[in-house]
Amino acid sequence: MEEKKIDFALLEEMINCAKREVQMRYKVYPYWVKTGKMSADKAEKEKALMYAIQKALQKIYDGTAPRPVQQSFLNTQEYIRPNFNHL
């Protein structure tokens, strides 16, 4: 069986997208908290979650994530939900 390869160009794009999202959250969420659109606790949690996503992707890119994590990252087919709308 052929070993799947990580698409590093796509992974780099994903990391950069996550970085932009982290930056946006740090810029916008304080205003949302101030205006009552979001609680401070929720803002902190959401910022931390997106930063964790960024760091996890970076570890896969750097090859420092455990091998099973890297392999599961490649196997996305099992997470694609079937489309039952056509029935």
Side-chain angles (χ1 to χ4, degrees):
M1 183 160 129
E2 182 182 332
E3 184 176 340
K4 295 180 183 177
K5 301 291 183 199
I6 295 175
D7 182 344
F8 283 98
L10 175 60
L11 186 54
E12 186 173 17
E13 286 183 56
M14 293 169 68
I15 292 166
N16 289 334
C17 182
K19 284 179 181 179
R20 289 189 303 274
E21 182 64 23
V22 167
Q23 291 171 346
M24 186 279 303
R25 289 179 184 205
Y26 273 84
K27 182 177 180 179
V28 174
Y29 284 9
Y31 176 76
W32 287 2
V33 169
K34 184 178 178 181
T35 59
K37 285 182 132 181
M38 181 180 278
S39 71
D41 288 342
K42 173 93 171 153
E44 289 306 310
K45 182 177 180 179
E46 291 294 316
K47 290 188 294 186
L49 286 170
M50 184 52 65
Y51 184 69
I53 290 168
Q54 174 196 333
K55 296 313 280 179
L57 292 172
Q58 189 68 52
K59 285 183 178 186
I60 293 168
Y61 185 87
D62 295 340
T64 59
R67 187 78 174 145
V69 171
Q70 293 181 40
Q71 285 306 114
S72 66
F73 181 75
L74 296 172
N75 187 11
T76 57
Q77 189 63 36
E78 65 190 62
Y79 301 107
I80 297 173
R81 293 185 183 177
N83 183 356
F84 296 113
N85 294 331
H86 67 282
L87 299 178

